[in-house]
Amino acid sequence: MRRKMAAGNWKMNGAQAGLSVLDGLIASHAESPCDIVICPPHPLLIPATTRCAGGPVAIGAQDCHAEAKGAFTGDVSAGMIADTGAGYVIVGHSERREAYGDTDAQVQAKAVAAQSNGLIAIVCLGESLSQREAGEALPLITAQLAGSVPEASTAATLVVAYEPIWAIGTGKIPTLAQIAEVHAKLRAELVARFGAETGEAIRLLYGGSVKPDNAANIFATANVDGALVGGASLKAEDFSPIIHALEKS
Ligand code: 13P
């Protein structure tokens, strides 16, 4: 009942000359039953949306400012992102939380701005290795979800991505039981907060070292509705098999 989603976060990678990656995805997934999203750096949003118009690949940004406009040098508002034709924005990625100090309240404000501008907010959360080892993963994730997700969210405006920090870019992934445990907790919290209908309909992505060879097992895990993929989304020959695994799941 939940439409599956494969989202690629290019982080600070890519250039106009490399946008042919999108052509490969468009060609291989023309009739995809899944939502496919690529989130390139801001300068590539317009060429990417132009290239993907009318096709199976949607475009998203990697962050936005909570305010609509003003003296915020270097920042980009959700309205500006929507104006490029993008449909999504990632907020609360651990790289933003760690390097820029984004708090749950700031992430929530960014997500509100995204949703108010017609974008789907992909809200990221996840624990560090020391937090997991201290047994703090579930309480932390519960608090991040409560603090980062806007009150007015619906299944049409919110996607939640669980990204354990220690799995990002490391080649390590949690056990499937650990992923299932976190996703079950997230599902229960969403149902408690938004009611059964909305809480069951909000998509939950797993992110952190998703690769072609582990994707099928991850997608077979309860309450995993897709993936947020970093490194393996940069090349069509890596991302396309992940999308195929999702399409078959
Ligand atoms: P990797 O897939 O490279 O581990 O990155 C995950 C991530 O941070 C996606 O947002």
Side-chain angles (χ1 to χ4, degrees), residues 7-11 90 93-95 124 161 163-165 167-173 206-211 227-234 242:
N9 174 8
W10 281 7
K11 309 192 179 182
I90 296 168
H93 194 282
S94 60
E95 288 153 16
C124 301
E163 297 208 314
I165 296 170
I168 294 175
T170 59
K172 294 181 196 156
I173 63 163
Y206 168 77
S209 294
V210 177
K211 305 291 177 198
L228 180 54
V229 182
S233 71
L234 294 171
I242 293 173

